[in-house]
Amino acid sequence: MTKKQRALEIIERLKKEYPDAGCTLDYDQAWKLLVGVRLAAQCTDARVNIVVEELYKQYPDLNALAEAEVDKIEEIVRPCGLGKSKAKDISACMKILRDEYSGKVPDDFDALLKLPGVGRKSANLIMGDVFGKPAIVTDTHCIRLVNRMGLVDDIKEPKKVEMALWKIIPPEEGSDFCHRLVFHGRDVCTARTKPYCEKCCLQDLCKKIGVNEK
């Protein structure tokens, strides 16, 4: 079985297991997803979803957040950790969207990467979830699982994992595939406990438990 064949079978099984999997950050506008994904660095999505409720209560639109004092933003987002740097990035990012993009989030990958606090993971998330374009989000779940499954060979650097997956994952499947990996990584193929291989829908395909085709 080639990596591409393995990937296609894994995609189909995860579709059946998690048919409704999607982004676990709450947002109803593109700029809010940018804020959420910045706050999610080294923080759970569940905590971010709680924190942004207060943030948007005080600053309900992009212009209000762009005009907010950085220390006021920091007071609210501090529970997400790294409050000072996250508040600074969010403020700068909202100002750029207001001043250079007429309050719109750009649908260009390279333009997103130029925004403060936005890396490849965040840019891919925006491209896939907001604009419906091909995207591969290499978060910690994705990196852990695709290594265990044998889709990549002991690659831990996010960009290298992303580049390897582009070669074997159909572009139209990438975004949803990565969302499903998050659900599978939280519920079954866990990081902090022994993986629950006995209830995994992929156990006969998984390199970690004995399948070693390349």
Side-chain angles (χ1 to χ4, degrees):
M1 182 181 285
T2 65
K3 283 186 172 65
K4 183 168 286 189
Q5 290 170 330
R6 189 195 304 279
L8 292 175
E9 180 63 25
I10 289 171
I11 286 169
E12 290 308 309
R13 292 194 192 184
L14 290 178
K15 280 183 181 181
K16 294 177 182 177
E17 197 76 7
Y18 310 99
D20 302 318
C23 182
T24 52
L25 289 168
D26 293 338
Y27 70 98
D28 56 9
Q29 297 179 65
W31 67 271
K32 290 184 178 180
L33 183 55
L34 265 179
V35 171
V37 73
R38 180 65 187 98
L39 293 177
Q42 299 182 40
C43 181
T44 66
D45 289 359
R47 180 179 292 274
V48 171
N49 289 338
I50 293 171
V51 168
V52 294
E53 285 187 19
E54 180 60 29
L55 184 67
Y56 301 148
K57 187 183 298 181
Q58 295 203 30
Y59 308 107
D61 56 48
L62 185 150
N63 288 330
L65 192 53
E67 293 169 6
E69 296 179 16
V70 175
D71 60 346
K72 297 296 185 182
I73 298 174
E74 182 186 350
E75 287 178 12
I76 299 171
V77 305
R78 189 176 291 121
C80 294
L82 305 174
K84 189 176 293 295
S85 62
K86 290 180 179 180
K88 181 180 178 182
D89 285 342
I90 289 169
S91 176
C93 186
M94 296 303 110
K95 284 181 170 65
I96 290 172
L97 293 181
R98 179 194 64 191
D99 299 340
E100 298 182 22
Y101 294 100
S102 302
K104 305 291 186 182
V105 174
D107 63 352
D108 178 80
F109 188 81
D110 291 330
L112 287 169
L113 287 180
K114 293 178 182 178
L115 296 174
V118 176
R120 295 189 68 86
K121 182 179 76 172
S122 302
N124 269 300
L125 184 66
I126 296 291
M127 293 298 285
D129 279 50
V130 174
F131 301 113
K133 296 187 177 184
I136 290 179
V137 181
T138 50
D139 63 6
T140 56
H141 290 291
C142 174
I143 293 170
R144 184 177 75 257
L145 268 62
V146 297
N147 272 280
R148 287 178 173 177
M149 294 170 180
L151 297 183
V152 302
D153 298 317
D154 197 27
I155 305 174
K156 301 298 170 60
E157 184 182 323
K159 184 177 179 179
K160 289 183 178 179
V161 171
E162 180 191 335
M163 294 301 109
L165 291 178
W166 278 121
K167 297 176 182 178
I168 60 174
I169 304 294
E172 69 276 10
E173 299 285 1
S175 181
D176 287 341
F177 171 64
C178 292
H179 285 318
R180 292 186 174 104
L181 288 180
V182 171
F183 280 76
H184 196 64
R186 288 175 178 171
D187 297 341
V188 179
C189 198
T190 54
R192 296 181 180 179
T193 64
K194 184 179 178 181
Y196 301 102
C197 297
E198 69 282 356
K199 65 176 184 179
C200 179
C201 63
L202 306 172
Q203 60 176 289
D204 60 315
L205 289 172
C206 185
K207 180 180 177 182
K208 178 178 174 63
I209 55 176
V211 180
N212 291 295
E213 300 98 320
K214 295 292 194 296

